[in-house]
């Protein structure tokens, strides 16, 4: 994953793992940690872990940037299932209930209202196991595939929508 993005791309790509360091909500952090090593050589990608969706505003986001969020989810499939969403496709409960304070849907609505990340926003949800947070190799490989597709696609393409 150390190849640069397509030459026509503008701005920075941000990959943020949402969650916390412990408990079932740590899947986004675990995924970001695993992927950050593989993406370390890329200057066009910033990888970070965020405790809540509003923490993304601590980064210098611009209109030309792209955003990929990794977050734990519940009730969308067997543990380890990875599902991709656009902000409009987020499950309804994501907008109203969040352990992150301001919900993900609200934070993304604010990003849109401010005109940030117009080059695309994508969310990868990772299904939690009932007993806790584990990130198996199958889930990691699916995340790698999705990140590769996202990075290779032109900014603003359907993979970002």
């Amino acid at each position: 994953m150390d190849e640069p993005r397509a030459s026509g791309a503008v701005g920075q790509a941000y990959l943020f793992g949402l969650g916390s360091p412990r408990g079932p909500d740590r899947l986004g952090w675990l995924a970001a940690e695993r992927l950050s090593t593989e993406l370390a050589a890329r200057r066009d990608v910033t990888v970070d872990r965020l405790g809540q969706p509003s923490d993304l505003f601590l980064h210098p986001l611009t209109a030309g940037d792209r955003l990929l969020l990794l977050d734990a989810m519940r009730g969308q499939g067997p543990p380890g299932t990875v599902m991709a969403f656009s902000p409009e496709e987020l499950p309804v409960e994501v907008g109203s209930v969040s352990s992150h304070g301001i919900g993900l849907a609200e934070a993304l609505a604010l990003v849109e209202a401010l005109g940030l990340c117009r080059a695309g926003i994508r969310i990868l949800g990772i299904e939690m196991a009932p007993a806790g947070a584990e990130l198996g190799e199958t889930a990691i490989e699916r995340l790698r595939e999705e990140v590769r597709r996202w990075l290779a696609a032109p900014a603003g393409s359907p993979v970002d929508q």
Side-chain angles (χ1 to χ4, degrees), residues 79-91:
T81 299
V82 175
M83 295 184 69
F85 302 96
S86 68
E88 298 80 26
E89 296 171 318
L90 282 174

Side-chain angles (χ1 to χ4, degrees), residues 5-91:
R5 256 189 336 169
S7 60
V10 224
Q12 186 73 4
Y14 288 95
L15 186 150
F16 294 140
L18 296 173
S20 62
R22 292 181 269 312
D25 194 34
R26 69 185 179 132
L27 287 179
W29 277 31
L30 292 174
E33 285 174 8
R34 291 285 301 268
L35 295 169
S36 68
T37 304
E38 297 169 34
L39 296 169
R42 294 187 61 133
R43 291 184 307 226
D44 63 331
V45 180
T46 297
V47 180
D48 199 359
R49 296 171 301 183
L50 308 178
Q52 54 191 353
S54 61
D55 288 348
L56 65 96
F57 296 107
L58 298 174
H59 292 268
L61 304 175
T62 69
D65 294 334
R66 302 168 78 191
L67 180 60
L68 181 64
L69 300 166
L70 312 174
D71 199 7
M73 67 180 179
R74 190 168 296 193
Q76 301 295 318
T81 299
V82 175
M83 295 184 69
F85 302 96
S86 68
E88 298 80 26
E89 296 171 318
L90 282 174

Side-chain angles (χ1 to χ4, degrees), residues 69-152:
L69 300 166
L70 312 174
D71 199 7
M73 67 180 179
R74 190 168 296 193
Q76 301 295 318
T81 299
V82 175
M83 295 184 69
F85 302 96
S86 68
E88 298 80 26
E89 296 171 318
L90 282 174
V92 175
E93 60 274 4
V94 171
S96 58
V97 178
S98 174
S99 63
H100 305 297
I102 179 175
L104 181 55
E106 292 90 355
L108 294 178
L110 184 55
V111 165
E112 182 177 318
L114 293 171
L116 304 173
C117 299
R118 290 187 177 173
I121 299 172
R122 198 78 177 144
I123 301 104
L124 296 179
I126 309 155
E127 184 66 29
M128 292 186 273
E134 294 301 322
L135 198 54
E137 284 307 312
T138 303
I140 281 292
E141 190 50 42
R142 173 83 159 97
L143 287 165
R144 281 186 189 114
E145 289 171 21
E146 288 291 333
V147 170
R148 280 186 201 113
R149 281 178 10 118
W150 177 71
L151 290 169

